[in-house]
Amino acid sequence: MSYFHHHQSKYLSADTIYTDDVHKVLTQLKPEIAVVACGTAQLDIFQSLLMRMDDILKFVKNAPNQVIANHLEAVNHCPTTRNQLKAEVSKIGLSDKVFIPNDGESLVY
C-alpha cells in the first residue's frame, strides 16, 4: 500500500553527500516530497557516506516543498540523532517543512 499519491513527484536521496546533481534535482525538478538520509555516516574521518549537518540543512533550505528525514538512529555508524536534527532545523526556522519520523511512524498525504 502506497502512502503517496501517484501524481506527487518524489525524490529519494538515498546514501549520498550533497552534490551538484542533488542540488539540480531540488532546484530544477522541484520535487513535492524530498527524502534525505540524515545519519551522517562515514567510513573514516575523510570519507562521508551521508550528508553532514551543514549539508542536511542546505538540502532542507533548497528543497522546494516537504522534506522527510530518514536513516536516523538506525545503526551505530549514524551518529546524528532526531533531537539534534530537530534542534538544527528549528534554528533555521524550517521545522514545519521537515518531517522527522520515529521508528515505524507513517506519514499519509
Side-chain angles (χ1 to χ4, degrees), residues 25-100:
V25 169
L26 295 176
T27 60
Q28 294 177 17
L29 298 180
K30 300 185 186 306
E32 292 170 275
I33 301 165
V35 180
V36 58
C38 297
T40 319
Q42 56 186 41
L43 290 174
D44 58 43
I45 198 160
F46 302 111
Q47 293 182 302
S48 292
L49 297 174
L50 300 176
M51 295 180 209
R52 295 183 313 264
M53 186 62 73
D54 57 338
D55 282 339
I56 294 167
L57 297 178
K58 187 191 306 184
F59 186 103
V60 169
K61 288 176 186 174
N62 290 323
N65 300 295
Q66 176 79 51
V67 175
I68 300 173
N70 73 350
H71 215 300
L72 286 155
E73 303 172 26
V75 287
N76 61 5
H77 67 272
C78 294
T80 302
T81 67
R82 289 177 177 93
N83 286 337
Q84 285 174 321
L85 183 58
K86 285 176 186 174
E88 292 298 321
V89 169
S90 178
K91 282 182 194 173
I92 61 170
L94 295 177
S95 297
D96 291 344
K97 186 178 183 179
V98 183
F99 176 62
I100 305 171

